[in-house]
Amino acid sequence: ALQSLWQRCAKSSSEWLFWILLPPILRHGYALCFFAAVVVQKKLIVGRLQPTSKEQNPTTSFGRGWDEFRSWLHGQATCARAFDDMLDPFVGTEVLSFMYRLLGAKVGRRVQIDNFHVTEHDCVEIDDDVVLASSVSVFCEGADGLEAVRLHRGANVLDHCVLMAGARVGERA
């Protein structure tokens, strides 16, 4: 793709255009590929991280180890800078809601999301007309295992809030 862009710019004597377009293409292209890889990893390797209690967790060491590895792997991918770089251009748009849906979060319609950090996307339920301000963190893993976090219709979560496992934000709260 870059070679064809270079050839087109060289033919039209606008080589400077290539050098101006190169940084954004590389930056956003890498971030887009990284996000696609995270989605594929989530679907093929990690799977659904469903809410469970400690009693429901596997008793064998292999089962516990595999669940911990899946959670760790997805956490490493979603905490990477390239992941945030991919999400930043879509802050406040419906595209960002769609991207979180791809990762397993249940996101309603007309949801305003700024900077939203979560590792266990499958445990998050956001109803319609919810507003999440910047730098909101959601932790679904607690002492009792994975617990769902639910934001009811019309809820507002302000800047730098932390929602812990099992949290419920009421309607229009």
Side-chain angles (χ1 to χ4, degrees):
L2 289 176
Q3 184 177 4
S4 65
L5 178 63
W6 170 254
Q7 289 171 349
R8 286 182 187 168
C9 290
K11 285 180 184 177
S12 64
S13 298
S14 352
E15 295 163 353
W16 59 270
L17 182 62
F18 174 80
W19 295 110
I20 290 174
L21 292 176
L22 185 62
I25 288 172
L26 290 178
R27 182 179 187 277
H28 294 298
Y30 170 73
L32 179 62
C33 291
F34 187 84
F35 181 78
V38 170
V39 171
V40 169
Q41 169 190 294
K42 174 79 166 85
K43 301 291 183 192
L44 297 180
I45 298 172
V46 175
R48 291 188 52 80
L49 299 171
Q50 298 176 346
T52 58
S53 66
K54 290 289 185 190
E55 293 82 36
Q56 292 174 334
N57 281 342
T59 55
T60 65
S61 62
F62 175 76
R64 265 194 314 269
W66 175 246
D67 286 345
E68 289 173 7
F69 173 74
R70 292 183 319 136
S71 182
W72 173 83
L73 181 65
H74 191 60
Q76 293 299 307
T78 57
C79 292
R81 181 70 192 146
F83 186 79
D84 286 339
D85 287 344
M86 182 55 210
L87 300 180
D88 282 344
F90 303 108
V91 165
T93 67
E94 195 64 31
V95 175
L96 190 58
S97 297
F98 174 74
M99 295 168 91
Y100 280 113
R101 285 185 198 110
L102 283 174
L103 293 170
K106 294 178 183 123
V107 181
R109 295 174 34 207
R110 297 177 307 276
V111 174
Q112 163 73 32
I113 302 175
D114 280 359
N115 232 349
F116 174 51
H117 301 283
V118 63
T119 302
E120 300 88 2
H121 294 89
D122 299 310
C123 298
V124 176
E125 296 178 34
I126 303 172
D127 289 347
D128 297 340
D129 303 315
V130 171
V131 176
L132 291 166
S134 67
S135 298
V136 172
S137 298
V138 178
F139 297 99
C140 297
E141 189 167 359
D144 296 329
L146 288 177
E147 297 180 52
V149 173
R150 177 117 193 249
L151 305 174
H152 292 273
R153 184 181 177 127
N156 289 302
V157 180
L158 299 178
D159 295 341
H160 305 284
C161 279
V162 177
L163 299 173
M164 298 304 287
R168 302 271 187 261
V169 179
E171 189 168 329
R172 290 184 277 180

